[in-house]
């Protein structure tokens, strides 16, 4: 087994932990109990937004601030005052009036009036197009319903301004995005009125899971965190962020192919040999000593000729599979397996394998929650596959991805990866959210490459948790690297193999430019 080495990265604790809306509200109450007033915290929030705005758009002079009716509006009112103090041109927009605000938000309005008594709220959105940056201060972490009515029309107006080239910065969350899940509830006025599309989001006090998974990853833009001069919450976070690819330790000089494990890939039914080959090649590229393929006999000739390093066996029945299982240190079950009788007979025998296994793709169809494996197992479903495993719809899965990953882990007693934007890992240590990746990965075969990476790490002796964590991060960052060089369109899954190899060897790290950052 290869020994682990500590991470080469040192991440600020506040940037690796995410907390629920309930935890953040409780944290606020503890802060107020120390004598900090709600307005003092709001003033810090407004200051943080202005810092982030000037960092992202240093030449911007015209700012529009769109406010709602709740306390989140107060953050926007503070931004307006502070931006005016900084010499910027500011206009307020929204449907509210002073009598709609109370407590800290009312105090923010009063402070704005003391500084700029002629400042008024414009009730029509046309002026948003004249701004260089729009501040979204409509809704915060308390939103739990679809946006509708006049509020929806303002969301649509902000999005229209954004499409025209106006920058958008969101206070705490883009309005319409649910803090705990990353879900967006469809507005009766349509998708464009459901949630704000931001270029930058300034999260207050702590990071929220919804910023990084589901629709969040597409809406938030660059995430910046401001602690507002306070400590981080002193409770266990709901999840940790997976931020940096950790390379493998130096390969021991006295190792041989047996030292680094044997992977058995079971799949490759009629017309589906490519999936099994991509898995096998990925396992080789991360360092597995040997890779064996157990495929339908019709696939042997093509696979043998395409990659001679692979040991390809045509398996016509279970009796031919058993000797191969005896050679394996880890098994990948499912790539191109199919659902016919041949597939079923192989899957049922393979699931009894007494070693680590990753189950993906068609292999997931043969799992039974009532007959769990007693050996280390990794499951890697996409949302539709997760719905079948949990007897619910894809929409149910996407409505709460963190909860889904937990249910998969607990029901099947396995490390689980829920794929998709902001992939969720449910492992023994808890939940992790991968914030890396690029839309380039949304193409056929990339999941097979990931399965091969994880399978190779399992065969080398890594635990399911560690194999999943390393494999998911390498895979995601490899997608970023390919997209940076060639663009997001047109990547083929096998293009990932060389950057994954480089990441495993510490020869690449990917860019930190879009990762969450901590504001002063």
């Amino acid at each position: 087994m290869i020994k682990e080495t500590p991470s080469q990265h040192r991440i600020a604790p506040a940037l690796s932990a995410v907390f629920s809306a309930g935890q953040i509200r409780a944290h606020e109450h503890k802060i107020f109990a120390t004598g900090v007033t709600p307005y003092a915290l709001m003033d810090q929030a407004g200051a943080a937004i202005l810092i982030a705005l000037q960092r992202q758009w240093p030449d911007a002079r015209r700012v529009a601030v769109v406010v709602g009716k709740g306390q989140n509006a107060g953050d926007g009112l503070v931004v307006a005052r502070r931006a005016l103090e900084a010499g910027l041109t500011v206009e307020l927009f929204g449907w509210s009036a002073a009598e709609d605000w109370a407590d800290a938000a009312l105090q923010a309005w009063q402070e704005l009036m003391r500084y700029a008594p002629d400042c008024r709220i414009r009730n029509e959105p046309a002026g948003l197009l004249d701004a260089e940056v729009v501040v979204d201060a409509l809704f915060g972490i308390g939103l739990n319903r679809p946006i509708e009515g006049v509020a929806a029309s303002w969301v649509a107006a902000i999005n229209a301004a954004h499409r025209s080239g106006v920058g958008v910065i969101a206070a705490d969350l883009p309005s319409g995005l649910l803090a705990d899940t990353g879900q967006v509830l469809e507005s009766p006025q349509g998708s464009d009125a459901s949630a704000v599309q931001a270029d930058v989001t300034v999260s207050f006090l702590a990071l929220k899971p919804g910023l990084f998974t589901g629709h969040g990853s597409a809406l938030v833009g660059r995430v910046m965190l401001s602690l507002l001069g306070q400590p981080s919450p002193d409770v266990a976070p709901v999840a940790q962020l997976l931020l940096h690819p950790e390379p493998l330790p130096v390969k021991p000089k006295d190792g041989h192919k047996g030292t680094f494990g044997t992977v058995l890939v079971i799949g490759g039914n009629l017309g589906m040999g490519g999936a099994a080959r991509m898995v096998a090649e990925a396992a080789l590229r991360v360092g597995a000593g040997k890779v064996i393929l157990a495929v339908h006999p019709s696939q042997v000739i093509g696979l043998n000729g395409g990659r001679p390093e692979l040991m390809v066996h045509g398996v016509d029945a279970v009796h031919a599979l058993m000797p191969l299982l005896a050679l394996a240190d880890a098994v990948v079950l499912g790539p191109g397996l199919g659902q016919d009788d041949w597939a079923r007979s192989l899957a049922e025998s393979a699931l009894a394998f007494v070693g680590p296994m990753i189950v993906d793709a068609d292999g997931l169809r043969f799992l039974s929650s009532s007959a769990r494996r007693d050996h280390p197992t990794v499951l890697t479903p996409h949302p539709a596959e997760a719905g079948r495993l949990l007897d619910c719809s894809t929409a149910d899965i996407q409505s709460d991805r963190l909860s889904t990953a937990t249910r998969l882990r607990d029901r099947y007693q396995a490390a689980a990866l829920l794929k998709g934007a902001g992939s969720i890992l449910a492992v023994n240590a808890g939940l992790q959210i991968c914030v890396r990746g690029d839309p380039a990965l949304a193409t056929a075969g990339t999941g097979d490459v990931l399965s091969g990476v994880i399978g190779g790490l399992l065969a080398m002796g890594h635990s399911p948790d560690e194999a999943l964590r390393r494999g998911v991060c390498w895979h995601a960052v490899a997608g970023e690297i390919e997209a940076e060089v060639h663009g997001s369109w047109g990547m083929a899954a096998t293009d990932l193999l060389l950057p994954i190899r480089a990441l495993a060897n510490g020869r690449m790290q990917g860019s930190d430019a879009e990762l969450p950052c901590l504001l002063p």
Side-chain angles (χ1 to χ4, degrees), residues 251-260:
K251 194 170 186 179
K253 292 183 178 181
D254 60 349
H256 52 82
K257 62 185 179 182
T259 306
F260 307 114

Side-chain angles (χ1 to χ4, degrees), residues 392-485:
C392 60
S393 69
T394 303
D396 292 333
I397 297 299
Q398 294 293 78
S399 69
D400 191 346
R401 289 170 52 80
L402 277 78
S403 175
T404 291
T406 300
R407 290 166 59 201
L408 285 167
R409 178 191 63 196
D410 295 346
R411 177 177 290 193
Y412 292 93
Q413 294 296 293
L417 168 68
L418 179 61
K419 296 176 184 175
S423 293
I424 309 294
L425 293 71
V427 295
N428 288 328
L431 295 179
Q432 298 176 333
I433 306 173
C434 181
V435 302
R436 307 302 296 260
D438 187 272
L441 293 166
T443 188
T446 57
D448 299 312
V449 170
L450 176 58
S451 292
V453 171
I454 297 169
L457 291 169
L458 290 174
M460 293 158 65
H462 295 273
S463 71
D465 288 13
E466 181 61 26
L468 194 54
R469 182 168 64 85
R470 270 201 167 102
V472 168
C473 200
W474 291 344
H475 181 262
V477 175
E480 293 176 7
I481 291 168
E482 280 296 306
E484 184 176 352
V485 176

Side-chain angles (χ1 to χ4, degrees), residues 112-448:
L112 174 61
M113 288 297 96
R114 289 190 185 97
Y115 185 81
D118 296 330
C119 187
R120 294 293 180 265
I121 300 176
R122 294 181 58 174
N123 299 126
E124 73 289 338
L128 294 179
L129 295 173
D130 298 324
E132 292 169 280
V133 182
V134 172
V135 178
D136 164 26
L138 291 173
F139 297 97
I141 63 173
L143 185 72
N144 58 8
R145 56 179 173 79
I147 295 177
E148 55 189 1
V150 65
S153 67
W154 281 101
V155 169
I158 293 172
N159 287 336
H162 184 261
R163 287 192 296 273
S164 75
V166 177
V168 176
I169 185 168
D172 211 19
L173 288 159
S175 293
L177 180 68
L178 301 194
D180 287 346
T181 64
Q183 185 183 18
V184 170
L185 301 177
E186 183 78 9
S187 169
Q189 282 139 277
S191 59
D192 197 46
S194 298
V196 166
Q197 174 70 63
D199 298 297
V200 175
T201 298
V202 181
S203 184
F204 303 139
L205 294 176
L207 298 173
K208 295 86 177 166
L211 296 169
F212 304 105
T213 194
H215 292 289
S217 55
L219 292 175
V220 299
R222 178 75 187 276
V223 175
M224 299 182 182
L225 170 64
S226 175
L227 297 175
L228 308 184
Q230 304 300 319
S232 295
D234 59 356
V235 295
V238 296
Q240 297 283 343
L241 297 184
L242 191 56
L243 295 164
H244 293 291
E246 297 180 32
L248 292 173
V250 175
K251 194 170 186 179
K253 292 183 178 181
D254 60 349
H256 52 82
K257 62 185 179 182
T259 306
F260 307 114
T262 298
V263 179
L264 174 62
V265 181
I266 303 173
N269 205 333
L270 289 165
M272 296 186 286
R277 176 176 167 181
M278 285 187 283
V279 171
E281 288 204 42
L284 278 178
R285 289 300 186 185
V286 295
K290 293 184 289 184
V291 182
I292 303 170
L293 282 84
V295 298
H296 192 278
S298 65
Q299 302 298 311
V300 171
I301 294 176
L303 290 173
N304 264 331
R307 174 58 70 185
E309 297 91 342
L310 304 176
M311 292 170 276
V312 185
H313 293 258
V315 175
D316 57 1
V318 170
H319 68 83
L321 178 66
M322 302 312 290
L324 302 179
L325 285 168
L327 298 174
D329 293 299
V331 169
V332 181
L333 173 66
L337 182 65
Q339 302 169 44
D340 58 11
D341 291 341
W342 177 84
R344 179 174 296 279
S345 64
L346 265 59
E348 289 175 349
S349 297
L351 287 168
F353 174 65
V354 292
M357 172 181 286
I358 174 171
V359 187
D360 187 29
D362 289 330
L364 294 165
R365 294 180 178 272
F366 301 106
L367 282 177
S368 169
S369 59
S370 61
R372 297 170 181 156
R373 278 177 42 82
D374 295 327
H375 307 284
T377 306
V378 176
L379 310 181
T380 58
H382 56 58
E385 291 166 338
R388 287 194 293 269
L389 290 172
L390 296 174
D391 304 312
C392 60
S393 69
T394 303
D396 292 333
I397 297 299
Q398 294 293 78
S399 69
D400 191 346
R401 289 170 52 80
L402 277 78
S403 175
T404 291
T406 300
R407 290 166 59 201
L408 285 167
R409 178 191 63 196
D410 295 346
R411 177 177 290 193
Y412 292 93
Q413 294 296 293
L417 168 68
L418 179 61
K419 296 176 184 175
S423 293
I424 309 294
L425 293 71
V427 295
N428 288 328
L431 295 179
Q432 298 176 333
I433 306 173
C434 181
V435 302
R436 307 302 296 260
D438 187 272
L441 293 166
T443 188
T446 57
D448 299 312

